[in-house]
Every structure is written in structure tokens, then in C-alpha cells.
């Protein structure tokens, strides 16, 4: 916004005044400032419509003043000879009329002015350099007006020669029209009657004088008559023709010529018309609007010292008392006087470089009288003039107040309160006393002052914000060559914070008089302006960068500062500041940073998951790739996790502790994903368990048991494992998989320690650590535990039921028991145990061997109880079975170097519980079976024994286990019982 003031008073908010406290300017700069300020301050009274210059209006006004002061309204003019005008003695005053006496009153200026007191002004008699006309130059004698009449002449810049001519003319008029009141005369006409060319120093002066008087007659009688003219009015048409013709054929003045008689006839016919059309000798020639207001303004301006910039004279009381005498001629009343006087004070302040704050105070104080008048009248003409005048004042004030940051600073802040007061008073009168709209809506109790000030605050702050925005952008461009240029919004946030502080300290205390939440409204406006810029910035941000974080941190700090000011300012308001806070929706800078961090986390994690899937697909799981015998992908995934953590804690954000849980969850899921991928495709224990064959009974005495034949119709293993072979799922590869999962598991503790260490280095996180921020990888931990368990079991059952099936499931006790014992199985199991011991990490080794032991014990029982019709045992074979099982246990004990004996004994308890059944005779087995069936199914089951289901939980107290021992008993009694009870076949 362009600067609205110029100069050093109200104009230059960009620099502090270097002059005195009065803020006076040099004569040249003052005149420039006054001219520029007056240029945008048009007269509210309107154009006269006749080319009358200010000097011409001033001389006419002086003529009216002198004429009015030589007679009171009801008394006739009195002839006073020239000899009595000069005051040779004090006795001359007795020959003067009361008015003339007041005009010739001596100036004493000792008592303080009552008017100055009323206007809140200090008496200047002791501080001013002198009264008008006084020259303080030591080389010149002091000279000042001796009377009020002389003072008025000097103030209105009338020469002594002109003054003498005017008085002479008035004396002649009085001598020729004794007893006639001044309001019954048309002064320009009477003066034209009295003077001819020879009364002037030169022809040019005479012609200018004659032309002025004719223009005044035209303005007062034809252009702005008090009583409107009819189109058919012959006198006015004749007068117009006479005035126009005077330019071609000048009127002969100074005598009773024919042209003067014609002029007088036309003038008096128009001037003596009354508003009610009644006969009247009152002449209306200077009381039409706006001519009368322009003339009265010239008179009121005599209240200001002509020799100084706008100072008010000490003799203002006497001058105003005399000016009242002109009201009857000019049609002025008290209301119009108050309005004009307010305007003159204001106009004088503006046109004298706005340096005399007393003028501003006077205009502001006198506005109270205008406000009272506005409420007491409904006169349409007055209301029109009032509206125009106040609109002009308000327009000028609002140009300054709508951008008061450009107008005011610490050096001229004293002017602000008066300008705001003046503008608010004008607005209040315009809205409350003139606006019909306000009257219709008055019930809403509109607070005009608060509303206007609210507008000034918001407009000025928006303008100031836009300027700071431009400055910030300029600063950013100038810092482009620096290594780390500062983002625009970071610069702007700092500038706006300073602007808010300046507003609170400098402007808000003044504006609070009219708006209790001035500071709050200001910061709410700044909050909104910055918020709009921030919203656009955030919308364009796609990733977390140092610049982004710097801007958001600056925005967060700015918002906290602004909200603090708003809350502080509204603590005593009715709603406690809630309405203001609602105007300040949170920037949510922290939320924006958090969202960007989440995007950063997601990008990193997605990249990590893709890497895991790609590398695990290519992993060959060969042992010896590193000293941990784990997959390279395991060490690599942990390296990536560590790099991600380092990068996270290097992010320039103020909320590491707050965002850490989000990162931990995703990293936990990523490591869990790795652990799950490692074990996927390896199968489970059930993947390698053979399906149980159908129950059969032995064929006692068959030659089958005397020959070593290749097993036929053996139940095959039920495989659920993919076709990928030993390259990925061989025993060495499974061992590497176990080591890899175990390596991840063991490194979790190191990751947690690393995170806690990094957190301690983040200042903002200290309290979070003390508050017990939970740092753990629960999902990964559970998956690693489950994965190791599954891999151990899968490896064990794969070895027993697939890799060694040819010496266990396919060979053990096939045919004669004594000739197909456990030794081949143990022989092939031993190197497998050796390889596991050398490959698997020592903390996992015992778990794998234990799983292998349990799988071999399960396989041993499966051979005994579900081995199919090719296996049959007599009571004598029980001794061999016991010996073989002891051998199987011994390989795991390894003479004390293997598994703990108590662990082996515990794992072998199921087998040891079942083996006594092979020692029992057939009858006792049958009796045990019948008892168990009856206990399970009740007495009704004795008539027909139901076939007990296979649970796989072999137990001597379970009917199905006993039944299976009978099925494999190489005994006639057992075969008959099974034939009779269940009709079991002898072969599959």
C-alpha cells in the first residue's frame, strides 16, 4: 500500500524523527507535505460553481465581517466620521456603536482563553513566539495589532489600503441609508455603488475588484440562492444577462448610472425573495449553501496564527464572539458553526504538514458538540452537509488507519489516538444519526466504534503481512548464494512474531480504548494470514526435508506466541477469549511434521520389505558364509535397520520420542516379516509324519516272518512340502535358517540399547525416557521364538521320517525282529548329530537335538504301534525292543557329553510307559483292553466293543494303544480275538 503521509510527522513510519519532540519540519518539507496531504482532502461543502479564488472569498468574507461588526442585528448603521475612526483619545469610543467599540477593543491577551480550555488546548501566550504580526528578529522593532479589528485584518491578509477602502464604502453606505440594517443590504451591490476606477491604484486592481463583486452576486443570487429560483423568474434571468454582459460592456460603478440602476433593480428583486413568498426587506445574497460555508470557513481560519504553522491565537474568544455577528448575513447557526469549526480545525491540521497535534485534539474535542447536534435535528440540508463533512474526515482518517503500520511509529504514535478518536466519532455519527439502515437495525445494538477499529486492525495487519511477505521473499533471494539459504516462511514467521510484539506494545494499548480485544484481533489476523501461506506450503510438500521441518518448527513457535498474546489479551472478556481462539484454527505444524515423518517411515519400510522379499528369494542358505553360520541376508537386514534408526534420529524434528513408536512398529513388522519368510516353505512336523496304516491282525506262523524281503505296501510319508529340494531345505540349509532367525533374535537387545542411547541424545526426549517409553520388538521376538521352535521340529521330523526313513520306517523290525534292529538307524543318525553340532549355534543346538530325540522316539513308537502287517512281535521280542530303545537313548546321552540325562529321561517317558505292554501276556492284554473299553463306553459296550479312535497319544491306559499292541502280537489268541471282535484282516 502506498504511503499516505509524507514528511516527518505522520508520514515516515520507516524512520524515527531526528528532530525535536514537536516534530516540526523545515519550511520547504512542511509545504510539500501540506500540499500532498491537502491534495487528497477535498472540501466537503461542494464546489461554488463560480471561479472565485480563496483570496477573493477571503476579501468578501472580510467585508461581511466588518459590516456585521459595525452594527448589531436590530440596530441601524450609525455614521462615524473618519476623524472619529482614528483613536486620538480614549473619548472616541463613546461615539461608536457597541459593535464598533468591540471591533476597536485593545488586545491584552493575558487571561487564559476559555475556548482553548474547552477544546483542551494549552494557553500559548507563554510558549509562542508572539502574536500575529510580531517579528522576533532583534534587528526589527516589534509590531503587533493593537485592536481585534487590526488582528482580523492581519489574519485575513487584507492590506491597510483595502481595509480603508472597505470602511470608507461602509461609511458612505451608512451615510446614504441611515437607519437601514446590514442584513437589508446586498454588500457587493452597495460597494459597487460607492467606488469607481479612480478609487484604486490602477485599472487592473479596479477591474479585479469589480469582477469579484459581480461573481459574488452571481454565486449568491443565481448559482446558490437560499430560495430556489423559478425558471420563469424574470429578475434572475435579467440579472444573469447583466452579469454576462458586463464582460463585454463593463458596468459604470461609483455613481448612480443607468447600468447601476438596472443592476440594483435586478439584484434586489432576487435578493429580497423570502422562503414563504411573503414581503420582506431581508436580503438573501450570502446565505445559500455552500457559498455561505466557504465564506464562513474563511472567517474561522482567522483563529489560526498566520505567521506560524497552524497554531491557535490567544485571542480566539474575542474573534469568535465577533464572528457570530456574521451569522445573520451568512445564515449560520450554532450547529453549522460547530460543524464548520470542527472541519476548519481538521483542515488546518492536514494542510499544515500535520505537525500541530493541538489542532487534532481540538477537532476531536469539538466533534462531541457535532455529535450532540446530530442527535437533536432532522434538518435534511444540515444532514447532507454533516454527512459530506464527516465522510471527508472519515475518508482521510481511514486512509491512515486502514494501514496504520505504514502511518505510525514510536516517534509519532501520539497522533494515532486523536486520529482514531476522530475517525470513530465521525463513523459513529454517520451510522447512528444519519444512516436509516442503522435505525432499522438498531435493536441489534451495533457497536460502531468497535466495528470500525476491528476493521482498521484487520486491514492494517493484512497490509503489514503482505509487506513482510515481500521482504521475506527478497531476503530469501539475497541468501540464495549462501550454503544453507533460509526458507521464506521461516523468515516470515520470525518477522510476523516481531510484528505481533510491536502491535501488542505500541498500537494495542491505544486501540484497546475502543476495542477491548485489540491485541487479540491483531494476532488472530496475523495467524490467519500466515496460516493461509502455510497451508499452501504444506499442500506442496511431498517429503520430509530440513527446509520443511525448519518452516514447520518456525510456524509452531509463531502460533504459540500468537495464541499466548490472544489468551493474555482476552482473559477478562465475557467468553474468556473463546471467540478469538475459534478464529485461530491450529496450524497443526506438529501434526504436519508427524505426517511427513510417517510418510518417511513408510517409504523406508516399504523399501525394506521389498528388499527382504527379493533377497530371501535369492538366498542359498549355505553354511560358512560368515562366522555366525547365518544367511548374509540376516546381517544385511539388521544393517538396514540400524541405518534407518540412524537416519531417523538425524531428522531435524522436535518429536523423535513421539514418533518413535510408529517407527518401531514398522521396523518390528519388517523384522517379523523376515523371520516369517525364513521359515516359510520349510513345512511342519506333520508335513513329514507318515499316515497311519489301517489296523490288521498278524498271520501267525506265516513264512513271511522267516524271510528277509523287501517291504511291500508300507504306508508312505504324507508330504506337504514343496518340490524345492536340498538346495533350500536340506539339513545344512535348515541349520542356517535356524541360525539366521536366532541371530535376529539376539540382535533385538542391541537394537533396543541403541534406540535408548539415541533417545538420551535428543533433548526433548528426556522426560519421555523418564516416563518409561516402552521400546521393544514384541512381534519379531515372538516370531523368532516360534520360528526357531518350528524349524527345530521341522528339521527333526524331516531327518527322522524322510532322510532316515530307509533305516527306520522302511526297515526297523520288518520280518524277524532279531534280524532288523535299531543299529543301522543309529549308525546313520550319528553323523547327522555331528553335523548339527558343528553348524547350529550353541544356544540353539540342544533345542535341535532335543527335537531330533523326540522325533526319533515318536518314530520308534510309530514302528511298534502303527508299523503295519509286516511287523509282528512275540513276548520274547520285548527284550530286544528294550535293548534297542536303550541304545537309542544312549546316542543322545553320548556318555555324558550329550543332552542332560533328566531331559532324555523325560522325553523317553512315553516310550517307557508303553514298552511294558509288549512284556505282558496276550490274555492280560485282552482283559486290559476289555476293561478300558467298559470304563470308556459303559457296560452296554460288552455286547459289542466299539473300535476306539486313534489319538496318537500312546498310553497304556488308552484302549487304542492296547489294541495296537494286540494287532502286532504274534499270537493265535490275539489273532482270534481281533477276528472275532472287529473282523480285522491279516493284510492291507
Amino acid at each position: 500500500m502506498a504511503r499516505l503521509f509524507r514528511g516527518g510527522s505522520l508520514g515516515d513510519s520507516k524512520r524515527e524523527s531526528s528532530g525535536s519532540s514537536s516534530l516540526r519540519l523545515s519550511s520547504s518539507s512542511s509545504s510539500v507535505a501540506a500540499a500532498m496531504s491537502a491534495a487528497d482532502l477535498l472540501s466537503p461543502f461542494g464546489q461554488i460553481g463560480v471561479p472565485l479564488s480563496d483570496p477573493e472569498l477571503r476579501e468578501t468574507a472580510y467585508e461581511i465581517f466588518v459590516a456585521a461588526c459595525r452594527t448589531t442585528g436590530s440596530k441601524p448603521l450609525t455614521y462615524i466620521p473618519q476623524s472619529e475612526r482614528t483613536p486620538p483619545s480614549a473619548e472616541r469610543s463613546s461615539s461608536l456603536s457597541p459593535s464598533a467599540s468591540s471591533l476597536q477593543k485593545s488586545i491584552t491577551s493575558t487571561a487564559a482563553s476559555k475556548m482553548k480550555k474547552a477544546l483542551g488546548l494549552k494557553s500559548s501566550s507563554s510558549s509562542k513566539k508572539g502574536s500575529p504580526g510580531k517579528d522576533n528578529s532583534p534587528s526589527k522593532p516589534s509590531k503587533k495589532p493593537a485592536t481585534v479589528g487590526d488582528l482580523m485584518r492581519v489574519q485575513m491578509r487584507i492590506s491597510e489600503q483595502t481595509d480603508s477602502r472597505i470602511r470608507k464604502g461602509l461609511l458612505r453606505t451608512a451615510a446614504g441609508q441611515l437607519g437601514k440594517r446590514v442584513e437589508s443590504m446586498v454588500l457587493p451591490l452597495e460597494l459597487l455603488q460607492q467606488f469607481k476606477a479612480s478609487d484604486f491604484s490602477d485599472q487592473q486592481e479596479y477591474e479585479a475588484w469589480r469582477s469579484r463583486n459581480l461573481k459574488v452576486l452571481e454565486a449568491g443570487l443565481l448559482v446558490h440562492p437560499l430560495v430556489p429560483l423559478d425558471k420563469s423568474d424574470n429578475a434572475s434571468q435579467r440579472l444573469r444577462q447583466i452579469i454576462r454582459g458586463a464582460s463585454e460592456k463593463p458596468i459604470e460603478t461609483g455613481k448612480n448610472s443607468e447600468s447601476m440602476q438596472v443592476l440594483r433593480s435586478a439584484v434586489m428583486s432576487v435578493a429580497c425573495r423570502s422562503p414563504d413568498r411573503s414581503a420582506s426587506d431581508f436580503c438573501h445574497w450570502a446565505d445559500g449553501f455552500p457559498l455561505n460555508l466557504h465564506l464562513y470557513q474563511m472567517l474561522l481560519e482567522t483563529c489560526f496564527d498566520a505567521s506560524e504553522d497552524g497554531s491557535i491565537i490567544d485571542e480566539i474568544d474575542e474573534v469568535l464572539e465577533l464572528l457570530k455577528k456574521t451569522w445573520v448575513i451568512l445564515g449560520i447557526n450554532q450547529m453549522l458553526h460547530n460543524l464548520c469549526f470542527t472541519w476548519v480545525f481538521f483542515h488546518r491540521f492536514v494542510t499544515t504538514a500535520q505537525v500541530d497535534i493541538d489542532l487534532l485534539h481540538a477537532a476531536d474535542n469539538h466533534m462531541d458538540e457535532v455529535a450532540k447536534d446530530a442527535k437533536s435535528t432532522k434538518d435534511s440540508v444540515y444532514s447532507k452537509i454533516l454527512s459530506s463533512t464527516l465522510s471527508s474526515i472519515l475518508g482521510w482518517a481511514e486512509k491512515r488507519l486502514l494501514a496504520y503500520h505504514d502511518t505510525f511509529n514510536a516517534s509519532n504514535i501520539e497522533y494515532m489516538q486523536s486520529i482514531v478518536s476522530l475517525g470513530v466519532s465521525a463513523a459513529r455519527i454517520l451510522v447512528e444519526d444519519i444512516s436509516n439502515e442503522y435505525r432499522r437495525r438498531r435493536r441489534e445494538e451495533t457497536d460502531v466504534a468497535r466495528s470500525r477499529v476491528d476493521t482498521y486492525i484487520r486491514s492494517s495487519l493484512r497490509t503489514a503481512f503482505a509487506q513482510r511477505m515481500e521482504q521475506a521473499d527478497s531476503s530469501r533471494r539475497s541468501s540464495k548464494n549462501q550454503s544453507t539459504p533460509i526458507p521464506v516462511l521461516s523468515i516470515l514467521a520470525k518477522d510476523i512474531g516481531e510484528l505481533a510484539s510491536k502491535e501488542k506494545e505500541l498500537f494495542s494499548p491505544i486501540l484497546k480504548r475502543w476495542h477491548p480485544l485489540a491485541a487479540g484481533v491483531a494476532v488472530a489476523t496475523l495467524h490467519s494470514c500466515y496460516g493461509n501461506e502455510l497451508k499452501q506450503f504444506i499442500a506442496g510438500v511431498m517429503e520430509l526435508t530440513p527446509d520443511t521441518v525448519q518452516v514447520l518448527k518456525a510456524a509452531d513457535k509463531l502460533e504459540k506466541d500468537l495464541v499466548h498474546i490472544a489468551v493474555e489479551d482476552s482473559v477478562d472478556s465475557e467468553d474468556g477469549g473463546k471467540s478469538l481462539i475459534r478464529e485461530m484454527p491450529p496450524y497443526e505444524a506438529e501434526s504436519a511434521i508427524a505426517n511427513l515423518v510417517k510418510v518417511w517411515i513408510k517409504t523406508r519400510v516399504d523399501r525394506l520389505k521389498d528388499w527382504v522379499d527379493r533377497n530371501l528369494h535369492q538366498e542359498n542358505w549355505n553354511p560358512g558364509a560368515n562366522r555366525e553360520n547365518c544367511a548374509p541376508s540376516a546381517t544385511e537386514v539388521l544393517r538396514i535397520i540400524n541405518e534407518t534408526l540412524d537416519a531417523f534420529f538425524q531428522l531435524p524434528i522436535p518429536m523423535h520420542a513421539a514418533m518413535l513408536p510408529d517407527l518401531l512398529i514398522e521396523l518390528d513388522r519388517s523384522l517379523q516379516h523376515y523371520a516369517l519368510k525364513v521359515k516359510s516353505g520349510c513345512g511342519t512336523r506333520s508335513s513329514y509324519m507318515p499316515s497311519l496304516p489301517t489296523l490288521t491282525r498278524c498271520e501267525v506262523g506265516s513264512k513271511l516272518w522267516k524271510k528277509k524281503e523287501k517291504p511291500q505296501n508300507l504306508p508312505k510319508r504324507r508330504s506337504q512340502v514343496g518340490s524345492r529340494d536340498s538346495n533350500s531345505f536340506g539339513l545344512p540349509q535348515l541349520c542356517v535358517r535356524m541360525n539366521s532367525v536366532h541371530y535376529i533374535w539376539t540382535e533385538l537387545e542391541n537394537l533396543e540399547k541403541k534406540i535408548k542411547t539415541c533417545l538420551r541424545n535428543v533433548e526433548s526426549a528426556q522426560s519421555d525416557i523418564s516416563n518409561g517409553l516402552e521400546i521393544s520388538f514384541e512381534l519379531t521376538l515372538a516370531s523368532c521364538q516360534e520360528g526357531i521352535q518350528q524349524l527345530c521340529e521341522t528339521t527333526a521330523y524331516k531327518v527322522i521320517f524322510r532322510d532316515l526313513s530307509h533305516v527306520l520306517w522302511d526297515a526297523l523290525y520288518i520280518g524277524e525282529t532279531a534280524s532288523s534292529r535299531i543299529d543301522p538307524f543309529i549308525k546313520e543318525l550319528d553323523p547327522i548329530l555331528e553335523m548339527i553340532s558343528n553348524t547350529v549355534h550353541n544356544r540353539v543346538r540342544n533345542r535341535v537335538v532335543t527335537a531330533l530325540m523326540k522325533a526319533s522316539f515318536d518314530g520308534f513308537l510309530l514302528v511298534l504301534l502303527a508299523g503295519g502287517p509286516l511287523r509282528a512281535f512275540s513276548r520274547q521280542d520285548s527284550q530286544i525292543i528294550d535293548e534297542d530303545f536303550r541304545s537309542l537313548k544312549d546316542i543322545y546321552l553320548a556318555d555324558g557329553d550329550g543332552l542332560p540325562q533328566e531331559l532324555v529321561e523325560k522325553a523317553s517317558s512315553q516310550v517307557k510307559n508303553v514298552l511294558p505292554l509288549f512284556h505282558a501276556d496276550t490274555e492280560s492284554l485282552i482283559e486290559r483292553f476289555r476293561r478300558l473299553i467298559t470304563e470308556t463306553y459303559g457296560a452296554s459296550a460288552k455286547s459289542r466293543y466299539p473300535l476306539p479312535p486313534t489319538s496318537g497319544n500312546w498310553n497304556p491306559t488308552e484302549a487304542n494303544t492296547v489294541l495296537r499292541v494286540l494287532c502286532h502280537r504274534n499270537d493265535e489268541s490275539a489273532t482270534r480275538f481281533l477276528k472275532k471282535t472287529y473282523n480285522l484282516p491279516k493284510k492291507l
Side-chain angles (χ1 to χ4, degrees):
M1 184 174 180
R3 295 264 297 285
L4 301 173
F5 280 86
R6 296 295 186 269
S9 55
L10 297 185
D12 200 350
S13 65
K14 299 293 187 292
R15 67 177 187 272
E16 298 297 320
S17 175
S18 58
S20 65
S21 60
S22 66
L23 301 173
R24 296 283 181 182
L25 302 175
S26 67
S27 59
S28 60
S29 61
S30 294
S31 60
V32 172
M36 296 183 71
S37 296
D40 65 345
L41 186 66
L42 300 177
S43 172
F45 305 145
Q47 299 297 317
I48 297 177
V50 175
L52 282 165
S53 65
D54 283 354
E56 289 176 323
L57 285 172
R58 193 178 297 113
E59 186 170 344
T60 302
Y62 184 71
E63 291 169 350
I64 294 171
F65 170 75
V66 174
C69 288
R70 295 188 65 83
T71 177
T72 56
S74 59
K75 294 185 178 181
L77 282 170
T78 304
Y79 175 71
I80 305 174
Q82 176 69 21
S83 60
E84 294 186 12
R85 278 195 68 250
T86 57
S89 66
E91 295 173 354
R92 64 161 170 58
S93 60
S94 61
S95 65
L96 297 174
S97 69
S99 295
S101 177
S102 65
L103 187 60
Q104 299 302 324
K105 182 179 178 182
S106 298
I107 296 176
T108 56
S109 68
T110 55
S113 167
K114 293 179 181 179
M115 177 57 69
K116 283 193 173 186
K117 286 183 179 180
L119 294 174
L121 306 176
K122 296 178 181 178
S123 176
S124 59
S125 59
S126 61
S127 59
K128 298 286 183 181
K129 297 177 182 178
S131 295
K134 180 176 180 180
D135 191 338
N136 287 334
S137 172
S139 61
K140 294 182 180 180
S142 175
K143 180 182 180 182
K144 71 174 184 177
T147 66
V148 177
D150 287 340
L151 173 66
M152 288 295 293
R153 180 187 62 76
V154 172
Q155 288 291 88
M156 296 191 75
R157 306 168 202 171
I158 303 297
S159 66
E160 292 184 3
Q161 180 183 3
T162 301
D163 176 59
S164 176
R165 183 174 62 245
I166 292 170
R167 293 177 185 276
K168 185 187 296 183
L170 291 174
L171 286 171
R172 291 176 182 175
T173 301
Q177 301 185 38
L178 287 175
K180 195 171 184 179
R181 297 191 306 272
V182 69
E183 61 267 26
S184 299
M185 295 185 293
V186 178
L187 278 180
L189 177 65
E190 300 302 335
L191 293 175
L192 285 170
Q193 185 76 57
Q194 300 300 329
F195 297 110
K196 53 184 180 294
S198 60
D199 293 317
F200 294 85
S201 59
D202 57 51
Q203 184 67 22
Q204 185 178 1
E205 182 185 4
Y206 165 71
E207 290 177 356
W209 170 83
R210 182 180 59 193
S211 173
R212 172 179 64 82
N213 281 287
L214 290 174
K215 285 189 288 185
V216 169
L217 290 174
E218 180 183 7
L221 296 174
L222 298 178
V223 181
H224 301 293
L226 177 68
V227 181
L229 295 171
D230 292 332
K231 291 183 179 180
S232 60
D233 187 86
N234 293 327
S236 62
Q237 292 177 9
R238 188 169 63 253
L239 178 59
R240 185 173 285 108
Q241 290 172 357
I242 292 171
I243 293 174
R244 288 178 180 175
S247 60
E248 298 176 1
K249 185 180 179 182
I251 297 173
E252 293 183 61
T253 64
K255 58 184 179 179
N256 195 17
S257 64
E258 181 182 354
S259 58
M260 278 303 301
Q261 290 177 6
V262 172
L263 176 63
R264 178 177 290 277
S265 173
V267 166
M268 296 307 291
S269 295
V270 176
C272 291
R273 294 174 306 121
S274 62
D276 58 0
R277 306 296 182 183
S278 62
S280 171
D281 63 350
F282 195 103
C283 294
H284 302 284
W285 66 273
D287 50 359
F289 297 103
L291 175 62
N292 60 343
L293 300 180
H294 282 282
L295 291 170
Y296 193 59
Q297 180 178 346
M298 293 296 170
L299 292 171
L300 287 175
E301 286 180 353
T302 60
C303 296
F304 305 104
D305 192 340
S307 65
E308 296 190 31
D309 288 337
S311 58
I312 300 171
I313 60 175
D314 288 335
E315 300 80 9
I316 186 171
D317 293 342
E318 293 94 329
V319 170
L320 288 178
E321 190 63 32
L322 291 176
L323 292 185
K324 285 185 178 181
K325 299 180 183 301
T326 66
W327 289 7
V328 65
I329 299 173
L330 297 174
I332 300 296
N333 55 27
Q334 187 66 49
M335 290 192 301
L336 286 172
H337 165 78
N338 291 337
L339 182 59
C340 288
F341 206 23
T342 301
W343 168 256
V344 168
F345 276 123
F346 172 72
H347 183 265
R348 192 72 175 184
F349 169 74
V350 173
T351 56
T352 54
Q354 306 134 35
V355 294
D356 192 345
I357 197 171
D358 282 353
L359 296 173
L360 205 54
H361 288 157
D364 185 26
N365 291 331
H366 215 258
M367 188 69 81
D368 293 340
E369 299 300 319
V370 176
K372 293 175 185 176
D373 295 339
K375 294 183 184 296
S376 64
T377 184
K378 294 182 180 179
D379 182 82
S380 60
V381 176
Y382 173 77
S383 294
K384 182 178 179 181
I385 298 169
L386 175 66
S387 177
S388 176
T389 304
L390 296 183
S391 295
S392 185
I393 293 174
L394 180 61
W396 182 93
E398 289 198 336
K399 282 184 179 180
R400 279 78 190 160
L401 296 175
L402 290 171
Y404 58 73
H405 280 267
D406 287 345
T407 308
F408 304 103
N409 56 43
S411 68
N412 63 14
I413 193 64
E414 60 182 343
Y415 290 83
M416 185 178 184
Q417 179 162 333
S418 294
I419 291 179
V420 175
S421 179
L422 197 64
V424 165
S425 297
R428 184 183 284 121
I429 297 170
L430 284 170
V431 173
E432 295 181 1
D433 300 311
I434 298 177
S435 171
N436 293 326
E437 180 68 18
Y438 176 80
R439 291 193 184 99
R440 287 196 294 269
R441 301 175 57 190
R442 192 156 191 166
R443 292 180 181 178
E444 298 178 11
E445 295 297 328
T446 304
D447 188 338
V448 178
R450 179 167 177 163
S451 174
R452 296 313 304 166
V453 172
D454 190 277
T455 300
Y456 302 154
I457 294 171
R458 295 182 190 276
S459 172
S460 187
L461 268 299
R462 289 190 188 105
T463 301
F465 179 87
Q467 293 170 347
R468 297 304 193 282
M469 187 73 182
E470 291 180 8
Q471 293 169 6
D473 191 46
S474 176
S475 298
R476 182 192 60 82
R477 287 196 297 268
S478 64
S479 67
K480 270 188 176 180
N481 298 329
Q482 299 177 6
S483 57
T484 55
I486 304 173
V488 173
L489 290 186
S490 295
I491 301 172
L492 184 62
K494 181 176 180 293
D495 291 347
I496 297 308
E498 294 173 354
L499 181 62
S501 297
K502 177 184 177 184
E503 180 75 22
K504 175 188 172 186
E505 295 168 6
L506 191 62
F507 300 116
S508 296
I510 294 174
L511 299 173
K512 204 171 183 69
R513 171 182 164 189
W514 298 275
H515 199 310
L517 303 179
V521 169
V523 295
T525 303
L526 291 175
H527 184 277
S528 174
C529 291
Y530 189 86
N532 291 335
E533 299 297 328
L534 183 66
K535 191 180 297 182
Q536 295 179 35
F537 173 80
I538 292 175
V541 171
M542 305 305 295
E543 60 180 348
L544 192 67
T545 64
D547 280 2
T548 302
V549 175
Q550 186 177 356
V551 167
L552 293 174
K553 287 169 71 175
D556 186 57
K557 181 184 183 301
L558 173 64
E559 181 172 51
K560 288 175 181 175
D561 292 342
L562 296 180
V563 169
H564 176 74
I565 293 174
V567 171
E568 192 176 58
D569 190 51
S570 57
V571 66
D572 296 326
S573 63
E574 292 180 2
D575 65 351
K578 292 180 181 177
S579 58
L580 270 181
I581 298 303
R582 281 196 293 270
E583 278 192 53
M584 304 170 73
Y587 290 159
E588 296 182 345
E590 287 191 0
S591 176
I593 294 176
N595 290 335
L596 289 171
V597 173
K598 288 177 181 177
V599 171
W600 182 90
I601 291 172
K602 185 178 185 303
T603 302
R604 290 279 183 141
V605 169
D606 288 347
R607 196 182 303 157
L608 177 57
K609 286 182 178 178
D610 290 343
W611 183 93
V612 168
D613 292 340
R614 185 173 60 255
N615 281 269
L616 284 183
H617 184 74
Q618 299 170 354
E619 188 66 75
N620 53 28
W621 307 103
N622 287 331
N626 48 50
R627 64 181 183 180
E628 291 87 4
N629 274 333
C630 67
S633 60
T635 58
E636 187 65 16
V637 74
L638 284 169
R639 184 189 65 78
I640 295 174
I641 294 287
N642 275 284
E643 286 182 354
T644 303
L645 286 170
D646 290 337
F648 172 77
F649 283 106
Q650 288 172 6
L651 291 176
I653 60 175
M655 52 184 67
H656 290 96
M659 297 306 301
L660 183 59
D662 294 76
L663 177 63
L664 288 183
I665 288 172
E666 294 303 326
L667 293 182
D668 193 12
R669 287 174 179 168
S670 298
L671 285 174
Q672 180 195 34
H673 179 66
Y674 180 86
L676 293 175
K677 279 284 185 179
V678 169
K679 71 172 187 175
S680 65
C682 298
T684 61
R685 59 180 287 180
S686 60
S687 304
Y688 298 100
M689 285 286 287
S691 56
L692 300 183
T694 305
L695 289 174
T696 57
R697 56 192 174 91
C698 284
E699 189 174 352
V700 181
S702 172
K703 293 181 180 180
L704 176 67
W705 309 113
K706 303 186 184 288
K707 299 189 330 183
K708 295 287 284 182
E709 295 181 4
K710 185 177 181 179
Q712 299 292 327
N713 299 324
L714 229 72
K716 299 298 181 183
R717 172 180 56 84
R718 182 176 74 252
S719 176
Q720 296 177 356
V721 185
S723 60
R724 294 174 65 190
D725 209 2
S726 57
N727 286 340
S728 295
F729 300 101
L731 181 58
Q733 286 73 30
L734 289 172
C735 291
V736 172
R737 286 175 186 265
M738 280 184 271
N739 287 340
S740 300
V741 175
H742 180 264
Y743 179 71
I744 297 293
W745 183 3
T746 56
E747 285 299 310
L748 293 181
E749 185 178 353
N750 292 332
L751 286 176
E752 291 171 4
K753 290 179 180 178
K754 175 189 179 75
I755 292 169
K756 289 178 181 178
T757 301
C758 291
L759 266 180
R760 289 191 187 96
N761 296 330
V762 180
E763 182 180 353
S764 61
Q766 294 297 328
S767 59
D768 297 283
I769 295 175
S770 62
N771 291 336
L773 181 65
E774 186 176 352
I775 300 172
S776 63
F777 293 84
E778 294 180 354
L779 297 177
T780 305
L781 182 62
S783 295
C784 287
Q785 291 172 338
E786 180 186 344
I788 290 174
Q789 180 64 29
Q790 182 180 332
L791 285 169
C792 287
E793 287 187 352
T794 299
T795 301
Y797 281 82
K798 177 180 179 296
V799 168
I800 298 301
F801 292 101
R802 178 176 174 176
D803 298 347
L804 299 181
S805 63
H806 62 286
V807 289
L808 179 67
W809 184 246
D810 297 340
L812 182 61
Y813 303 142
I814 294 291
E816 291 186 8
T817 302
S819 60
S820 53
R821 296 181 64 174
I822 197 74
D823 297 332
F825 173 76
I826 291 174
K827 184 177 179 181
E828 293 201 22
L829 179 61
D830 188 61
I832 290 175
L833 290 172
E834 184 70 22
M835 192 273 290
I836 290 173
S837 179
N838 293 332
T839 304
V840 178
H841 192 280
N842 56 5
R843 291 189 179 180
V844 184
R845 185 184 307 139
N846 280 2
R847 296 182 63 178
V848 184
V849 174
T850 300
L852 199 60
M853 175 182 68
K854 291 179 179 178
S856 61
F857 290 172
D858 285 350
F860 187 77
L861 274 180
L862 209 58
V863 167
L864 296 178
L865 300 175
L870 296 182
R871 292 183 171 93
F873 306 102
S874 63
R875 286 184 67 190
Q876 291 75 21
D877 292 334
S878 61
Q879 188 67 33
I880 295 174
I881 294 172
D882 287 346
E883 291 175 0
D884 284 353
F885 185 64
R886 281 195 297 272
S887 299
L888 186 57
K889 287 198 301 180
D890 287 344
I891 195 173
Y892 296 110
L893 291 170
D895 296 328
D897 294 331
L899 297 175
Q901 185 167 357
E902 59 272 17
L903 179 61
V904 176
E905 292 299 329
K906 183 179 178 181
S908 64
S909 59
Q910 186 182 28
V911 180
K912 289 191 292 184
N913 289 336
V914 172
L915 287 183
L917 295 177
F918 287 88
H919 289 273
D921 59 76
T922 301
E923 293 302 324
S924 64
L925 286 174
I926 292 173
E927 184 59 33
R928 178 191 287 259
F929 176 75
R930 287 171 174 166
R931 187 179 72 252
L932 292 173
I933 288 292
T934 303
E935 290 174 356
T936 304
Y937 298 99
S940 61
K942 289 183 178 180
S943 59
R944 182 175 179 83
Y945 295 121
L947 186 65
T950 301
S951 66
N953 185 21
W954 315 125
N955 194 302
T957 60
E958 186 210 33
N960 184 268
T961 302
V962 177
L963 177 62
R964 287 180 175 277
V965 174
L966 287 171
C967 288
H968 288 84
R969 176 57 62 91
N970 189 10
D971 181 86
E972 191 66 37
S973 298
T975 300
R976 283 197 304 270
F977 173 75
L978 295 173
K979 172 70 175 175
K980 178 181 179 182
T981 305
Y982 296 114
N983 195 26
L984 293 180
K986 291 184 177 180
K987 60 178 69 176
L988 296 174

